[in-house]
Amino acid sequence: MAEWRTRLRTATAPLHEQVDAAYAGFGFDQPGGYRRFLRAHSRVLGSLEVALEQAGITAMLDDWPSRVRRQVLATDLQTLGDPAPVPLPALQLPDPASCWGAAYVLEGSRLGGRVLARRLHLIDPRAPTRYLEHGDVGRLWPGFLERLEAAAHPLGWPAMLAAAEATFELFITAAALEARSSVPEPAESGPL
């Protein structure tokens, strides 16, 4: 069987490109750009992490608590003086394969965080980046892939792919909502 990471990456590449394009519109050097970026992520992340927990992800990933980022995302938004937005409805994750598909997207989203944090710190060294810098990527990503490869079963591929695609689509929807949003800027706002 083909490596699951490769299969997921190949099958979801067009959606991944759409997500990258949607979030590139939140220029960190533009007023409110970083705030809207965080707000868009917040619309998806919290409800998806809870849905994964309710579906039993902790039995699949015993280090799940070290992977959870919704609290640090909320803290970064709070630091910027912004309330968390209304989340999008959570995905239905009826089986382990669906959990693996959704978790693949969440864990993959962590990879670019360090690069984005470095870019943001060049613009504003005081910017809150707990979310972007959360966790030991050098340990968490390989550990996730190892467990994915060991647990995934060919019969679960359609559900895994569907959940990964639905997760990417949630991030695209969230970006579109924030791009149209007219959230007032805090009084002492810089480019964030």
Side-chain angles (χ1 to χ4, degrees):
M1 193 84 226
E3 182 181 89
W4 294 108
R5 171 192 182 180
T6 301
R7 289 187 74 183
L8 282 165
R9 184 178 59 230
T10 301
T12 61
L15 286 169
H16 195 167
E17 289 173 13
Q18 289 177 43
V19 167
D20 287 347
Y23 284 83
F26 300 118
F28 290 174
D29 59 343
Q30 301 299 313
Y34 181 53
R35 289 175 59 247
R36 285 189 168 85
F37 171 92
L38 289 178
R39 286 176 54 84
H41 275 248
S42 180
R43 288 183 181 275
V44 178
L45 188 82
S47 59
L48 188 54
E49 285 183 346
V50 170
L52 282 162
E53 289 163 5
Q54 290 172 345
I57 194 70
T58 56
M60 295 177 255
L61 288 171
D62 61 353
D63 63 349
W64 176 254
S66 68
R67 296 172 182 277
V68 172
R69 295 182 283 168
R70 63 185 178 265
Q71 291 89 356
V72 295
L73 177 53
T75 300
D76 281 353
L77 278 169
Q78 194 173 44
T79 300
L80 293 173
D82 202 322
V86 174
L88 291 170
L91 294 179
Q92 296 298 311
L93 301 169
D95 53 45
S98 298
C99 290
W100 286 115
Y104 167 81
V105 178
L106 283 189
E107 289 301 305
S109 74
R110 184 189 308 273
L111 294 174
R114 297 272 195 259
V115 173
L116 292 174
R118 283 193 297 274
R119 187 181 323 154
L120 180 60
H121 282 301
L122 292 174
I123 296 166
D124 184 351
R126 298 166 298 133
T129 55
R130 292 175 219 47
Y131 173 64
L132 293 177
E133 297 178 311
H134 182 269
D136 178 358
V137 176
R139 181 184 59 78
L140 291 174
W141 180 242
F144 173 79
L145 293 176
E146 182 180 308
R147 290 181 179 114
L148 171 68
E149 295 301 327
H153 188 278
L155 295 178
W157 170 247
M160 186 187 310
L161 177 59
E165 289 172 337
T167 303
F168 275 119
E169 288 166 0
L170 279 175
F171 276 103
I172 292 166
T173 298
L177 285 170
E178 284 305 316
R180 292 191 304 261
S181 158
S182 60
V183 175
E185 297 295 321
E188 303 223 358
S189 176
L192 301 177

